[in-house]
Every structure is written in structure tokens, then in C-alpha cells.
Amino acid sequence: MWLWAKAIRALAVTSYQHHFPHLYNQVPLKPGQKLYMVNQLYPYTVRFTEDTSVTGSAGEKSKPAKRPHQRDSTEDKNEESPARKMSTPSHTEQESNRAKTTPAKAEPAGHWSQGLKVSMQDPKMQVYKDEKVVVIKDKYPKARHHWLVLPWDSISSLKALRPEHCELLKHMHKVGDRMIQQCPDNQKLRFRLGYHAIPSMSHIHLHVISQDFDSPCLKNKKHWNSFTTDYFVDSQDIIAMLERDGKVSVKEGTGELLKLPLRCHICHKEQATIPKLKDHLKVHLSS
């Protein structure tokens, strides 16, 4: 727009000089004064800029400062300045720089997956502890009796187990057995000790759970299948695998087991919904 204004002003002045030489006079203008062009149809405000050029040697005239080019708004949208292009790294470069400067971080302490590390330190949650392990009540039990046996040692998951952990797992199993023996319902309820193949909570933990599954916290198919399919691996099987292979492996596709239809773990009859499944389980509990 500034270039157009400059051209129009030059054209108007030239036209006035040519057609009305007797009307053309040089008039000094002051800052802020308006200049009207073509019968006062186009007012322009005169703006003066300070000459910032440096005076050279004696007798040398200083050069007037050039008015900076004003970019059109559409030009700014369609084209980036070279300085902006050079100073702004691409998305790939940003990711690369971030990877170089930022170390890989584990889940923060407040993340829900780290909850067991907090609960195991809470005296109100603890029901047993020794120098190797601690037993806590599951905060959201999926049965009438549901405990977790956790080692004091920091072991994130089954994949982190090594041959030297075999004795620790045996001790965890022994403590789990002790919890069952001390339970007043141990004669009328069946129990299992085992691990989730792909646990959602960090820090390895052994589930000791009664098989009644009579709990309001058992709400969906994922809850049910995580304890009644091969997704739940017996404690003794984990110990045997670690002694045999030196590590614990999870079969490919294990996660898909959580999507299987609801089936009674006793008679294997399929049930349409969790409420119907729970009603069905009452028949087995009463018999």
C-alpha cells in the first residue's frame, strides 16, 4: 500500500505541474499536517523520520536514511522472512534436539500406575511384612479376599526378573500361602496365587485371591478375564519358567485374552453381561 501511495502522489504532483504550473507552489509541511491530493479527495499525513546516518569525514555529506519497506499483511502470511526460517528449527529438528537434551523419564511418582509403591509404604494398608516382602489389601478387591504380596526390592515387572530372583518368588509364594491358611474362609473358598502376564501397575506383585469373585469392584469383562483366563499365570508356573529359562516370557497375543466372551470359570457357561454372570456365580457359591 505504501508503494501505491507513493506512486499516486508522484503522479498527482507531476500532473499538477504540467497542467497548472501557475498553481504549483512549494509549501513547507509540518509533522502531522495533512496533504490533500486531487481536489482534496485523498488526504495524506506527512511523517518525518530522523536521519540516523553517520556523518563521515569533513566535507562529506551524510546519506539520508531510507524508509524501511513495509510488508503487506498477505505477504507476511504467504512468505516467511529468511531470518525466521533460519531461527526456527523444523519439527524433526526439534524432536531430535529434545531427544539429545532430555533423558528418557519413567512415569512420575504421582502417576496412577505407581500407586502400589505408595500403598506398600502405608501402615494402614499393610497386613503383614518381613525383611523381604510386604502384604497389603488390594485397594479395589475383585473378590471377598484379595491380597497383594510385594517385594521391598524394586522390580518393575515379570520381564525384569532374573535367575537370582527365584528365591524371592518362592518366599512371596510362601507368604501368600500363609495368608490363605490364616483366612477364616479357607475351608469353604478356593484360592489362587498368580501374576498378571501384562500388569497395569508398576512394581511386581503376587495376587492372592479367592475364587468367589463376589465384589462390587469387579465391573467389566477386562476385570473378569484378567483373573479367569491364561492372562493370569500361576505363581508356581512363573517360578518354574524362571528356573528353566532364566527369564519370564509372555506369549504373543496375551493381551487379546481380555476381550474373550464372559464365561463362568467353574462350568465354562457363557454369560451375556457381568450382572448375569454374577447371578450365575451365586448358584455355585450356594451349592
Side-chain angles (χ1 to χ4, degrees):
M1 290 299 294
W2 182 82
L3 292 176
W4 277 103
K6 185 175 180 180
I8 291 173
R9 182 172 63 184
L11 181 61
V13 172
T14 303
S15 176
Y16 262 58
Q17 284 180 311
H18 180 71
H19 294 288
F20 307 101
H22 60 288
L23 297 177
Y24 184 79
N25 295 313
Q26 290 186 351
V27 179
L29 297 175
K30 298 179 180 180
Q33 183 176 349
K34 291 185 178 180
L35 174 65
Y36 290 90
M37 306 292 295
V38 190
N39 296 329
Q40 298 188 355
L41 295 177
Y42 305 100
Y44 288 89
T45 300
V46 179
R47 182 171 61 188
F48 294 88
T49 57
E50 184 179 355
D51 185 358
T52 57
S53 61
V54 180
T55 304
S57 59
E60 182 181 351
K61 294 183 179 180
S62 61
K63 295 182 180 180
K66 292 184 179 180
R67 183 172 182 177
H69 171 61
Q70 295 181 350
R71 298 175 64 87
D72 185 76
S73 60
T74 57
E75 186 178 357
D76 287 333
K77 292 178 181 178
N78 297 330
E79 179 183 352
E80 289 186 346
S81 67
R84 188 181 304 174
K85 289 180 180 179
M86 291 177 63
S87 62
T88 305
S90 65
H91 177 71
T92 303
E93 290 172 336
Q94 289 175 343
E95 292 298 326
S96 177
N97 293 336
R98 191 178 297 116
K100 292 177 181 178
T101 58
T102 306
K105 296 188 296 183
E107 294 290 358
H111 193 268
W112 63 267
S113 66
Q114 307 297 310
L116 289 180
K117 297 178 182 179
V118 177
S119 296
M120 65 186 291
Q121 302 291 342
D122 185 358
K124 294 180 181 179
M125 298 286 289
Q126 297 171 354
V127 294
Y128 171 84
K129 65 179 179 179
D130 59 27
E131 71 282 358
K132 294 182 179 180
V133 301
V134 59
V135 180
I136 63 174
K137 293 180 180 180
D138 194 296
K139 201 170 184 177
Y140 305 99
K142 302 303 185 290
R144 294 178 186 175
H145 305 284
H146 190 178
W147 301 285
L148 304 177
V149 184
L150 304 99
W152 292 115
D153 292 344
S154 180
I155 304 173
S156 60
S157 66
L158 294 177
K159 292 183 178 180
L161 290 172
R162 297 294 178 264
E164 57 267 25
H165 294 130
C166 283
E167 292 305 315
L168 175 61
L169 294 190
K170 291 177 181 179
H171 181 71
M172 291 171 65
H173 185 95
K174 182 179 179 180
V175 170
D177 264 336
R178 187 181 305 163
M179 296 303 301
I180 297 172
Q181 297 304 319
Q182 294 176 355
C183 177
D185 292 332
N186 67 349
Q187 296 298 320
K188 61 180 181 180
L189 292 177
R190 190 167 65 91
F191 286 79
R192 284 187 71 188
L193 296 86
Y195 301 86
H196 283 144
I198 310 173
S200 57
M201 303 292 286
S202 180
H203 199 89
I204 192 170
H205 51 284
L206 171 67
H207 291 269
V208 182
I209 184 169
S210 58
Q211 297 299 286
D212 54 275
F213 296 110
D214 182 16
S215 170
C217 296
L218 196 153
K219 299 179 178 180
N220 54 50
K221 181 187 293 187
K222 180 180 178 181
H223 292 162
W224 177 255
N225 285 331
S226 69
F227 286 101
T228 61
T229 67
D230 288 341
Y231 193 91
F232 190 74
V233 188
D234 282 335
S235 172
Q236 296 286 21
D237 291 340
I238 292 294
I239 295 173
M241 185 186 302
L242 188 59
E243 288 181 328
R244 182 183 67 247
D245 303 331
K247 62 179 182 178
V248 175
S249 302
V250 177
K251 294 180 181 178
E252 186 176 351
T254 298
E256 296 299 310
L257 296 174
L258 298 178
K259 302 176 183 179
L260 291 176
L262 294 170
R263 291 186 182 276
C264 173
H265 64 306
I266 299 174
C267 67
H268 306 293
K269 185 177 181 179
E270 186 172 334
Q271 303 295 323
T273 64
I274 286 291
K276 289 183 178 181
L277 174 62
K278 288 188 175 184
D279 287 339
H280 174 80
L281 293 177
K282 291 177 183 178
V283 177
H284 293 294
L285 289 172
S286 61
S287 59

